[in-house]
Amino acid sequence: MARTSFFILLLLLSIVCLSGAMKPARPSRRSRARAYVENECNKTRYPSLCIQYLAVSANSTIQTPQQLAQAALSVSLYKALQTRTFMMKVAKELKAMKSKDYQAVKDCLDQICDSVDQLSESVRELHRLERLDVAGGDDVFWHISNVNTWIASAMTDASTCLDEFSGRDMSKLRALIKAKVLNVAQTASNALSMFHRYAAKYKP
């Protein structure tokens, strides 16, 4: 429980940093920031989803690939945390009912828990990379590889979870779970895309 609280605190701190202490921006600067976010989102695999979640945060502080990668990764972690909380509640209820759907939901929950851990590691590693960028160091590509690996693994775990809910004929509950997990996979995909653009500046 303490570990989960730490992750949530870390996420909230990231969002606060991105919001620039919630100071209102001049319309022109806000418009430029939103245009920048929308332009970058249109390069991702799921542009509409990207714009939906990131354009609302498009204040004057989000003007660089680094800030956009931070925001995208924070959104992905937040969605994974929400989905885990929902699925833990559902799994508990299904277990009490001795439902035939319990095992599928439990297996999917295990995958989402792994996604939360991996995205949390990615957030921490991105912060390490940013500090290294300021201080200088020789481990830049190692940190980049770590972030890539963890985000990709989170996507894989979410996709594995989706395998439990394949087919067209499913209950409303299964359809809802599938939609939430798909959201995690897609926001993680967008976060990886944003991170690749940020990391590109380190290429020799």
Side-chain angles (χ1 to χ4, degrees):
M1 194 68 181
R3 188 179 181 189
T4 300
S5 299
F6 173 78
F7 291 153
I8 295 174
L9 177 61
L10 186 63
L11 176 63
L12 291 175
L13 286 174
S14 297
I15 294 173
V16 168
C17 290
L18 287 168
S19 66
M22 302 302 289
K23 293 180 180 179
R26 293 179 182 178
S28 60
R29 294 181 66 188
R30 185 178 295 275
S31 298
R32 287 197 299 270
R34 184 181 179 89
Y36 170 71
V37 170
E38 290 182 353
N39 181 62
E40 294 302 304
C41 279
N42 283 328
K43 301 173 186 177
T44 66
R45 189 171 183 181
Y46 305 101
S48 297
L49 192 69
C50 180
I51 292 171
Q52 176 187 342
Y53 290 137
L54 296 183
V56 295
S57 302
N59 54 50
S60 60
T61 65
I62 303 181
Q63 297 177 342
T64 67
Q66 174 184 335
Q67 292 161 348
L68 207 49
Q70 288 175 333
L73 194 51
S74 294
V75 165
S76 184
L77 175 56
Y78 179 67
K79 290 298 175 181
L81 285 165
Q82 279 189 323
T83 300
R84 183 183 67 176
T85 299
F86 171 77
M87 293 190 65
M88 288 175 69
K89 180 176 180 293
V90 170
K92 184 177 180 180
E93 292 173 353
L94 292 179
K95 185 177 182 180
M97 295 165 53
K98 297 182 179 180
S99 169
K100 63 180 182 179
D101 289 331
Y102 169 71
Q103 193 57 52
V105 172
K106 176 63 170 60
D107 291 343
C108 184
L109 174 59
D110 291 341
Q111 299 294 332
I112 293 301
C113 286
D114 288 343
S115 290
V116 168
D117 289 344
Q118 288 148 356
L119 291 170
S120 298
E121 290 291 349
S122 298
V123 169
R124 287 201 294 261
E125 195 72 352
L126 180 56
H127 285 303
R128 293 187 192 108
L129 180 59
E130 291 158 4
R131 290 195 297 268
L132 193 66
D133 190 22
V134 173
D138 299 325
D139 297 330
V140 168
F141 293 106
W142 183 72
H143 289 288
I144 289 174
S145 177
N146 286 342
V147 176
N148 275 325
T149 298
W150 281 322
I151 299 177
S153 295
M155 291 169 57
T156 299
D157 284 328
S159 296
T160 301
C161 172
L162 288 172
D163 292 340
E164 299 286 342
F165 301 94
S166 59
R168 293 184 178 181
D169 296 327
M170 61 177 70
S171 65
K172 289 183 178 179
L173 176 61
R174 279 178 165 258
L176 179 58
I177 291 173
K178 182 176 181 179
K180 287 180 176 292
V181 174
L182 184 61
N183 189 264
V184 173
Q186 291 177 345
T187 55
S189 172
N190 286 345
L192 186 59
S193 178
M194 295 297 187
F195 177 72
H196 282 165
R197 242 162 284 156
Y198 162 60
K201 72 174 187 175
Y202 295 103
K203 290 183 178 179

